[in-house]
Amino acid sequence: MEKTIALIPGDGIGPDVVAEGVNVLNAVAKKYGHKFNYKNVIAGGAAIDKWGKPLPQDQLDICLNSDATLLGAVGGPKWDNVAPEIRPEKALLGLRGGMKVYANLRPAVMFKQLKDACPLKDEIVGEGLDILIVRELTGGIYFGDRGTSADGKTAWDTEKYSWEEIERIVRMGFEFAMNRQKKLCVIDKANILNSSRLWRKVAETVHAEFPEVELSFLYIDNAAMQLVRNPRQFDVIATSNMFGDILSDEASQITGSIGMLASASLGVGGPGLYEPIHGTAPDIAGKDLANPLATILSAAMLLRYSFGLETEAKAIENAVNSVLDAGYRTGDIAGSEREAVKAAGKLVGTKKMGQLVVDFINA
Ligand code: IPM
Ligand code: MG
């Protein structure tokens, strides 16, 4: 097939890792007889430097007119003091809202090869962790009514959800659960918030269509605790924009694989947005030190969810596993074995890591 992919390298290590994502996509295209065309998009700090705003409409349009978008990372201390309306993060919100990608899939998986990096005790982790967070992405307090009083002494933001906004998220949660452990946990603050009580009502209603799935509810505070106390109780989690933001960082950290985790943001039929969950790591930008695997795995999600190319997606994921099995590590995932990895000649940089994945795809 022939497809167009918008690339947003962004800031910091973004360009380093997106370059490797593209190398891997090209290897897949060659092996399986596809053609991927790329369109470059400037967003985030890079766009602030160039045009004084983080996401000009024409850049967003390139994404809207492509079949999918692959993003590195945006932001960095350089733009810490710009006005709130033009912060690099606004590029992300503009992309999410503009592309109407209302559901954010954040798989928190532990790579067994990197088990040592997991901060939890062995008896808690057992055979590994595999949690899928489905986070609402274009509503709630991130997009709700907000303001600051004239005297600057009062400020507010609003958590507001409609039945439809909730329904499409919990439905997606149920659908994913059907192909996994058949467990869905909706996380909210229904002991306090009206909007959370609506989440529960919608989830219970949609549950009737998925009787095989075990539905449970947890309050956000308890869920944050349960994630470190007994993470294996979770299969799929569905939650609001704000709670999903917080829980997905926690979930990624407990896997010990933060440099490895991918994400997909999906809407109705339109192009999806794919990005590693890590940030811009400006201190190592351009130094061939960043781990490109999360971006490479995001490219796999792109092939799976936007193009329906399951075999190709699996080929990338298998290649990543093979590279890890073979003992290759970037600095961030070498952990306590760093010296041994180095002595074995397997401590590699961004480019080499990308090339290894390509080699395994071609093997
Ligand atoms: C994330 C990030 C963003 C969010 C920020 C950078 C706006 O934390 O993707 O989780 O809060 O959604
Ligand atoms: Mg976050």
Side-chain angles (χ1 to χ4, degrees), residues 89 92-93 96 106 135 142 245:
E89 288 84 351
L92 274 184
L93 297 191
R96 292 169 181 174
R106 296 195 169 180
R135 169 189 175 192
Y142 273 61
D245 178 44

Coordinates of all heavy atoms in Angstrom, one line a residue, residues 89 92-93 96 106 135 142 245, ligand 1:
E89 N 3.8 22.8 24.9 CA 2.8 21.8 25.2 C 1.5 22.1 24.5 O 0.7 21.2 24.2 CB 2.4 21.8 26.7 CG 3.5 21.2 27.6 CD 4.6 22.2 27.9 OE1 4.7 23.3 27.3 OE2 5.5 21.8 28.8
L92 N 0.9 20.1 21.5 CA 0.3 18.8 21.7 C -1.2 18.9 21.8 O -2.0 18.1 21.2 CB 0.8 18.2 23.0 CG 2.1 17.4 23.0 CD1 2.4 16.8 24.4 CD2 2.0 16.3 22.0
L93 N -1.7 19.8 22.6 CA -3.1 20.0 22.8 C -3.8 20.3 21.5 O -4.9 19.9 21.2 CB -3.4 21.0 23.9 CG -2.9 20.6 25.3 CD1 -3.5 21.6 26.3 CD2 -3.3 19.2 25.7
R96 N -4.0 17.2 19.4 CA -5.0 16.3 19.9 C -6.4 16.8 19.5 O -7.2 16.1 19.0 CB -4.8 16.1 21.4 CG -3.6 15.4 21.7 CD -3.3 15.5 23.2 NE -2.1 14.8 23.6 CZ -1.5 14.8 24.8 NH1 -2.1 15.5 25.8 NH2 -0.4 14.1 25.0
R106 N -2.2 3.9 26.1 CA -0.8 3.9 26.7 C -0.6 2.5 27.3 O -0.9 2.3 28.4 CB -0.7 5.0 27.7 CG -0.8 6.4 27.1 CD -0.3 7.4 28.0 NE -0.2 8.7 27.2 CZ 0.3 9.8 27.7 NH1 0.6 9.9 29.0 NH2 0.3 10.9 27.0
R135 N -6.9 6.5 27.9 CA -7.1 7.8 28.5 C -7.9 8.7 27.6 O -7.6 8.8 26.4 CB -5.7 8.4 28.7 CG -5.7 9.9 29.1 CD -4.3 10.5 29.1 NE -4.3 11.9 29.3 CZ -3.3 12.8 29.1 NH1 -2.1 12.3 28.7 NH2 -3.4 14.0 29.3
Y142 N -8.7 19.5 30.7 CA -7.7 20.0 29.8 C -8.4 21.0 28.8 O -7.7 21.9 28.2 CB -7.1 18.9 29.0 CG -5.9 18.3 29.7 CD1 -6.0 17.7 30.9 CD2 -4.7 18.3 29.1 CE1 -4.9 17.1 31.5 CE2 -3.6 17.7 29.7 CZ -3.7 17.1 30.9 OH -2.6 16.5 31.5
D245 N -3.5 11.1 32.6 CA -2.2 11.7 32.5 C -1.3 11.3 33.7 O -0.2 10.8 33.5 CB -2.4 13.2 32.5 CG -1.0 14.0 32.5 OD1 -0.1 13.5 31.7 OD2 -0.8 14.9 33.2
Ligands
IPM1 C1 1.4 13.7 28.3 C2 2.0 15.1 28.7 C3 1.1 16.2 28.2 C4 -0.3 16.0 28.9 C5 1.6 17.6 28.5 C6 3.0 17.8 28.0 C7 0.7 18.6 27.9 O1 2.2 15.1 30.1 O2 1.3 13.5 27.1 O3 1.1 12.9 29.1 O4 -0.5 16.5 30.0 O5 -1.1 15.4 28.3

